[in-house]
Amino acid sequence: MAAGSCLLLLLLPWLVTASHSPPGCKIRITSKGLDLVKQEGLRFVEQELQNITISDLHGKEGQFHYNISQVRVTDLQLASSDLNFQPRQHLVFNISNASISLRFRRQLLYWFFYDIGSINASADGVHIHTVLRLAKDGAGRLKISNITCNASIARMHAGFSGTLRKVYEFLSTFIITGMRYLLSQQICPSLEHASLVLLNSVLDTVPVRNYVDEHVGIDYSLLRDPSISSDTLDLDFKGMFFPRVREDQELENHAVEPVIKETERMVYVAFSEYFFDSAMLAYFQAGVLNIELQGEKVPKDLEVLLRATFFGTIFMLSPSVDAPLRLVLQVSAPPRCIIKPSGTSVSVSAFLNISLVPPDRLPVQLSSMAMETKLSAKVFLQGKALRVQLDLRRFRIYSKQSALESLALFSLQAPLKTLLQLTIMPIINERTKKGVQIPLPEGMDFTTEVVTNHAGFLTVGADLHFSKGLREVIEKYRPVPTVTAYPSSQPAEPSLDPGSL
């Protein structure tokens, strides 16, 4: 028994590490970002409360009969509101001392007096306390998994007009009490639907597992439930690229876990070396990290340089001296990303095969060079796209065949580096120009981005802005209701017959 306990203690650190897979991408939303979300969310709540539907109210008290119908909200004044983080997985939304103006149709019968018309009413001292629980769903998407809501109305007033105004005011207690109850009972169901259905439809627009291009995709599934402190919300994403030919591939993450300490900006996004390494591995496995240039596609300066270098070999191939050249540049191993406080670089090993392609004859290889290069990488965020621009910094070539040929190739090193910088790098940067989308909902974008390098990861601090309102995104993705054909009929108007009261 003691031996088993000791073994469990020895395995416990490993089990904890195994259960906490480090993220390749991490997003932090700060209190400043939450303030922006609150402003947009408050407009959305106002729209939802204005669409509250309240059932008809009817009854009698002694000889007083009443029927209230066609209730609608005409105005809202949300004087004070707060949206705050609540550890460990919650957001708290409070509305205090709000007022709601209503208008409804009245049908009243008191003894033999009968009257119809409209009534304006107002609910004052409206308090709403809502707690939203955020969690990871089965697909790895952030969702509002639960909501608790409490609503109360401190006071309600109604303004009556007409010949029986004094009688109405005397007997209005019955109407006001009923309307106050019905209104308070409709507030929370409206907000629950807005959160669990409508806001979750906005969260559905966050990319979880989607294709970047025809070669690779990316997995942005959440690794765990969000972590919420008193002033931050942290989301850990898998952040792994995969080749579309091997979509079920898993790449174990051994990189440094990003750590975000800053809270000055609205949002921070961190990317580890794993994020970039998985991208380069996916493209390598997809077989697209190679470039072939032949004939007229070979830059003229480079062709002259190579023909001068290999003149003796070409001359021995006479009469095919004027045969076109073919260059095949192929990456030999997945490139590796290195992130340091001083900057980000990418190490690449490749082969450069140089051949002559005589017409109607087999290609003749002139040389096969091994290349080791180091590229500097400028990472930047534009809109919601993370982009990388590469620049060739260090470059070395040597022959795979002999040390003597490596010595002969030494004179090629500087001019070949320059020509690669002018010809190959623009092709590569054109491929990376599109970038990859960051997991934010539709309608929300980054502004004023600042990139900071750390040891093993980099962070992008930014502010947020809404390019589309929540309502616009919701309406765009709202499912079209299925209409069942029934015989045409118009809704019946409230009866004006006093006997129906």
Side-chain angles (χ1 to χ4, degrees):
M1 187 73 176
S5 299
C6 291
L7 180 60
L8 181 60
L9 289 173
L10 290 172
L11 289 176
L12 188 58
W14 180 85
L15 292 172
V16 171
T17 302
S19 64
H20 184 85
S21 178
C25 172
K26 190 182 188 100
I27 291 183
R28 163 170 288 183
I29 299 175
T30 67
S31 295
K32 291 183 179 180
L34 196 63
D35 287 341
L36 178 70
V37 174
K38 185 190 80 170
Q39 296 171 20
E40 181 63 26
L42 196 59
R43 286 192 288 268
F44 173 68
V45 169
E46 288 177 349
Q47 294 168 349
E48 287 302 301
L49 293 181
Q50 285 177 340
N51 293 325
I52 284 179
T53 56
I54 301 174
S55 57
D56 295 350
L57 178 67
H58 58 85
K60 70 174 185 173
E61 185 67 26
Q63 296 300 318
F64 178 61
H65 299 251
Y66 58 89
N67 184 17
I68 303 301
S69 61
Q70 300 178 13
V71 184
R72 61 187 179 89
V73 176
T74 58
D75 186 43
L76 285 99
Q77 296 294 328
L78 306 183
S80 176
S81 63
D82 291 301
L83 179 62
N84 299 306
F85 296 118
Q86 177 178 296
R88 300 170 47 195
Q89 290 176 243
H90 299 90
L91 294 178
V92 178
F93 183 54
N94 283 317
I95 295 177
S96 303
N97 201 28
S99 64
I100 302 176
S101 299
L102 304 169
R103 186 176 180 85
F104 48 89
R105 179 184 175 87
R106 72 174 186 266
Q107 289 177 280
L108 305 173
L109 176 65
Y110 183 65
W111 291 97
F112 54 87
F113 295 101
Y114 175 68
D115 191 31
I116 62 173
S118 298
I119 300 176
N120 294 319
S122 64
D124 299 320
V126 180
H127 295 268
I128 305 172
H129 178 74
T130 307
V131 180
L132 306 175
R133 185 179 188 274
L134 302 179
K136 175 180 77 74
D137 70 2
R141 192 186 302 275
L142 180 66
K143 282 297 181 70
I144 300 172
S145 62
N146 191 30
I147 176 174
T148 58
C149 175
N150 294 292
S152 63
I153 300 174
R155 301 169 302 279
M156 193 160 186
H157 307 280
F160 294 89
S161 61
T163 57
L164 299 179
R165 181 171 58 85
K166 293 296 183 182
V167 176
Y168 300 157
E169 290 176 353
F170 176 72
L171 299 172
S172 65
T173 303
F174 309 114
I175 298 175
I176 295 304
T177 301
M179 288 302 301
R180 177 181 171 186
Y181 173 78
L182 289 176
L183 179 59
S184 63
Q185 291 299 302
Q186 289 300 315
I187 291 174
C188 284
S190 176
L191 294 182
E192 287 172 3
H193 177 265
S195 301
L196 298 177
V197 178
L198 301 184
L199 289 183
N200 274 337
S201 71
V202 176
L203 293 176
D204 282 339
T205 65
V206 176
V208 172
R209 189 178 176 90
N210 63 319
Y211 294 141
V212 176
D213 54 30
E214 65 272 23
H215 305 295
V216 306
I218 188 167
D219 188 338
Y220 272 131
S221 57
L222 282 171
L223 295 174
R224 54 193 65 89
D225 289 335
S227 174
I228 298 180
S229 69
S230 59
D231 56 359
T232 60
L233 182 152
D234 289 341
L235 300 167
D236 290 347
F237 296 93
K238 191 172 187 178
M240 186 198 80
F241 289 78
F242 56 87
R244 293 180 60 169
V245 294
R246 302 180 188 175
E247 293 197 14
D248 58 345
Q249 174 176 281
E250 290 290 332
L251 177 63
E252 193 171 351
N253 187 353
H254 297 290
V256 173
E257 179 171 352
V259 177
I260 304 175
K261 297 181 180 180
E262 299 86 352
T263 58
E264 291 78 17
R265 307 295 292 274
M266 290 185 181
V267 64
Y268 291 88
V269 189
F271 304 94
S272 74
E273 292 174 345
Y274 171 84
F275 180 87
F276 300 101
D277 283 345
S278 68
M280 292 182 288
L281 174 63
Y283 279 109
F284 178 78
Q285 292 179 332
V288 296
L289 296 186
N290 57 73
I291 297 175
E292 181 174 327
L293 303 175
Q294 181 173 322
E296 295 180 355
K297 293 184 178 180
V298 178
K300 198 65 181 177
D301 292 341
L302 180 59
E303 181 180 2
V304 171
L305 179 66
L306 293 176
R307 287 186 181 277
T309 302
F310 297 104
F311 180 76
T313 306
I314 295 174
F315 184 76
M316 295 299 294
L317 296 173
S318 180
S320 302
V321 175
D322 294 329
L325 281 174
R326 181 171 66 187
L327 310 182
V328 178
L329 179 63
Q330 183 172 7
V331 175
S332 56
R336 296 298 305 272
C337 175
I338 302 171
I339 303 176
K340 296 180 179 180
S342 57
T344 302
S345 61
V346 178
S347 297
V348 183
S349 297
F351 296 138
L352 176 60
N353 293 322
I354 304 173
S355 305
L356 278 177
V357 189
D360 302 324
R361 292 178 55 184
L362 293 176
V364 179
Q365 181 169 300
L366 300 179
S367 180
S368 179
M369 310 179 194
M371 301 174 55
E372 292 181 359
T373 63
K374 179 165 284 189
L375 311 175
S376 64
K378 180 184 178 183
V379 180
F380 60 98
L381 205 56
Q382 189 170 5
K384 271 189 299 195
L386 181 74
R387 299 179 178 179
V388 179
Q389 184 169 355
L390 299 170
D391 187 27
L392 183 60
R393 288 303 181 195
R394 287 196 297 182
F395 175 80
R396 186 172 75 91
I397 57 173
Y398 56 92
S399 173
K400 295 164 49 182
Q401 300 171 357
S402 70
L404 185 61
E405 187 175 14
S406 295
L407 184 62
L409 294 174
F410 184 77
S411 60
L412 277 176
Q413 189 141 310
L416 192 56
K417 176 184 176 182
T418 301
L419 290 169
L420 288 176
Q421 183 74 285
L422 296 175
T423 58
I424 303 300
M425 295 310 300
I427 297 174
I428 296 174
N429 282 322
E430 184 63 28
R431 292 182 178 180
T432 62
K433 185 177 180 181
K434 180 182 177 182
V436 60
Q437 184 179 350
I438 304 303
L440 276 185
E442 183 172 337
M444 185 178 288
D445 291 321
F446 296 104
T447 61
T448 59
E449 308 88 350
V450 176
V451 179
T452 305
N453 279 50
H454 304 271
F457 65 96
L458 59 85
T459 60
V460 183
D463 291 331
L464 295 169
H465 85 282
F466 282 91
S467 57
K468 296 179 182 178
L470 289 175
R471 177 66 56 186
E472 183 180 353
V473 177
I474 288 170
E475 292 301 327
K476 178 179 178 180
Y477 292 98
R478 186 190 296 272
V480 178
T482 303
V483 179
T484 305
Y486 290 104
S488 176
S489 63
Q490 296 293 329
E493 291 289 335
S495 173
L496 300 183
D497 180 7
S500 66
L501 297 174

